[in-house]
Amino acid sequence: MLNRIFKLNDNKTNISTEISSGMITFFSMSYILVVNPAILSSVGVPLERVFTATILAILVGTLIMALAANYPIVVAPGMGLNSYFASVVAMTGINYKTILATCFIGGVIFVFLSATKFREALIDAIPSNLKYGISVAIGLFITFIGLKNSGIIVSNKATILALGKLGQPTAYLTILGIIIILILLVLEVKGAIFIGMVIIAVISYFMGLLKINKIFGMPKFDFSFVYNPITESMNVFQLGLYGIVFAFLMVTLFDTTGTMIAVANQAGLIKNDKIVRAKNVLLADSIATTVGALFGTSPTTAFIESSSGVANGGKTGLTSLTTAFLVFISIFIYPLASSLVSVSAITSPALIIIGSFMMVNISKMEWNDITESFPAFSTIIGIPLTGSINDGIAFGFIFYVILKITKRQWKDIHPLMYLFSILFLIQLIWLHS
């Protein structure tokens, strides 16, 4: 039956390989079950809500990915997007429910784009250098958050930022966690990030930093929406939060597309330079984003950690179905997960290491042409220094159009870039005047 559903013979794989690959993927990406609640609960989203919403979003997206697309890709709340969500709430003072509504609206739009050809036009409109720059910038943003949360980097009136007190437990445990994870990665140990988090959690427990009263138990399930989507969506439009909606939409779109291409190519799922069943893949992510936003989590994306399962031989949806099953079982360890959230040294190494992974796109960027390099550069420094993915993207778009027009390279500017740049310029003047 499984062979027929997932076409195992056609993909030259078998049940044992697919299940073991799904297990490897789970241990590679399971850190999100702790990190995502830690980030979102810090700005007021109830911890139980985030935990269950995270699992629900993973299950919805990954099951669609497994059964409709037959892909070995897991969908989960994206790193960077959750940090951006927290920073928007913290910097604007807007209620988290309204910001969740921006994610919901972005998800609905993403569903529409995934079902039409406009998605391809939207992706093609953004210059490659800016796409790479956005990924690099988010990596720096995530890394900075990990360094700040751990106390390795602190605020300083004279120099703005400075090295913190490395003798503090949170700081030196974070550094130890980074070293352990890096060693495991060098040794090509599967689930290196997860194992590193477990080791630091054990050390924190014996140091008295981590208090665990209970390991097994279930969160209080509340399947009502965190907010009224109609009321909060109206608030989004009244407050003019179009840029935030756009930022969530763009990053999710490009993140998913990039990951999808990378993992699909690795699994041999690209035929004649085209991704097989690409529409179903994007629909899986967009539907998960929409559902997750209603229940209490930031947008989802195709998880790059899916590549760990593919590297083990996973080629079909049975791999991602196995991962989804293990995520479902994770519901029963809510008390443990909620305890781990309280110690930033457990989650910070993951943020820093994942940020470093996203630097790979620097090597793909064009640096010799200033009309290409400076817009990307402004995005790379804009996102981490302003704490806003939206503002960083805005800088890149605006400078790109200005510089290309100045050089009279009209043909290099997609018509949608003019529209986006004008909207971003209006937003920057309006929100920051």
Side-chain angles (χ1 to χ4, degrees), residues 13 68 106 119 129 197 210 258 264 268 281 387 401 417 424 426:
T13 184
R119 170 189 60 86
N129 242 37
M197 290 176 65
L210 175 62
V281 175
V401 171
M417 284 295 291
F424 272 132
I426 293 173

Side-chain angles (χ1 to χ4, degrees), residues 83-339:
S83 299
Y84 175 55
F85 179 97
S87 68
V88 169
V89 176
M91 293 175 66
T92 63
I94 298 173
N95 190 286
Y96 73 84
K97 295 180 181 180
T98 303
I99 304 303
L100 279 173
T102 66
C103 301
F104 170 71
I105 295 171
V108 172
I109 297 173
F110 194 14
V111 171
F112 170 76
L113 294 178
S114 299
T116 65
K117 292 185 178 181
F118 186 70
R119 170 189 60 86
E120 297 177 8
L122 196 58
I123 294 174
D124 292 340
I126 314 300
S128 296
N129 242 37
L130 277 179
K131 292 177 186 175
Y132 296 140
I134 290 170
S135 178
V136 171
I138 293 174
L140 290 174
F141 185 34
I142 294 172
T143 299
F144 177 72
I145 290 172
L147 293 171
K148 199 81 168 62
N149 290 346
S150 63
I152 295 177
I153 296 295
V154 297
S155 300
N156 183 287
K157 291 183 178 180
T159 60
I160 303 177
L161 297 174
L163 191 64
K165 297 180 179 179
L166 302 185
Q168 293 295 320
T170 301
Y172 65 70
L173 282 177
T174 297
I175 295 173
L176 178 61
I178 294 171
I179 294 172
I180 291 172
I181 293 173
L182 288 175
I183 290 174
L184 293 174
L185 288 171
V186 169
L187 296 176
E188 299 183 355
V189 175
K190 305 297 183 182
I193 293 177
F194 173 78
I195 295 171
M197 290 176 65
V198 170
I199 293 173
I200 296 302
V202 171
I203 295 174
S204 299
Y205 177 77
F206 285 108
M207 289 179 62
L209 298 175
L210 175 62
K211 308 292 182 182
I212 300 177
N213 298 318
K214 191 177 179 183
I215 295 178
F216 298 104
M218 293 180 65
K220 296 177 182 178
F221 284 110
D222 183 355
F223 290 107
S224 62
F225 297 153
V226 178
Y227 55 93
N228 184 315
I230 297 177
T231 301
E232 292 301 336
S233 293
M234 290 177 64
N235 287 338
V236 170
F237 294 120
Q238 289 175 357
L239 293 172
L241 304 179
Y242 309 111
I244 296 175
V245 173
F246 179 75
F248 279 130
L249 175 63
M250 288 298 96
V251 177
T252 304
L253 183 62
F254 297 138
D255 222 17
T256 300
T257 303
T259 303
M260 179 178 64
I261 291 172
V263 178
N265 186 58
Q266 184 183 7
L269 296 171
I270 294 182
K271 309 295 183 183
N272 300 320
D273 294 326
K274 290 187 178 182
I275 300 174
V276 181
R277 299 179 297 281
K279 183 182 293 185
N280 291 342
V281 175
L282 285 169
L283 280 172
D285 183 43
S286 57
I287 293 173
T289 290
T290 307
V291 172
L294 288 171
F295 288 94
T297 187
S298 50
T300 60
T301 184
F303 244 48
I304 191 60
E305 282 78 4
S306 302
S307 61
S308 62
V310 172
N312 186 65
K315 295 181 179 179
T316 74
L318 183 54
T319 291
S320 47
L321 182 65
T322 301
T323 304
F325 175 73
L326 294 174
V327 169
F328 173 74
I329 293 177
S330 301
I331 292 174
F332 302 102
I333 61 168
Y334 170 73
L336 175 62
S338 61
S339 297

Side-chain angles (χ1 to χ4, degrees), residues 336-381:
L336 175 62
S338 61
S339 297
L340 297 176
V341 166
S342 64
V343 182
S344 60
I346 297 173
T347 56
S348 291
L351 294 173
I352 296 167
I353 295 295
I354 293 165
S356 74
F357 291 164
M358 300 177 77
M359 295 298 103
V360 67
N361 285 312
I362 287 181
S363 62
K364 303 174 184 178
M365 296 174 67
E366 170 62 54
W367 292 105
N368 295 324
D369 182 352
I370 195 168
T371 66
E372 294 284 343
S373 62
F374 191 82
F377 172 73
S378 65
T379 294
I380 291 173
I381 64 171

Side-chain angles (χ1 to χ4, degrees), residues 29-51:
M29 56 75 64
S30 56
Y31 64 84
I32 196 65
L33 299 176
V34 175
V35 176
N36 198 53
I39 292 174
L40 299 190
S41 63
S42 68
V43 290
V45 188
L47 183 61
E48 278 188 325
R49 281 285 198 165
V50 184
F51 183 75

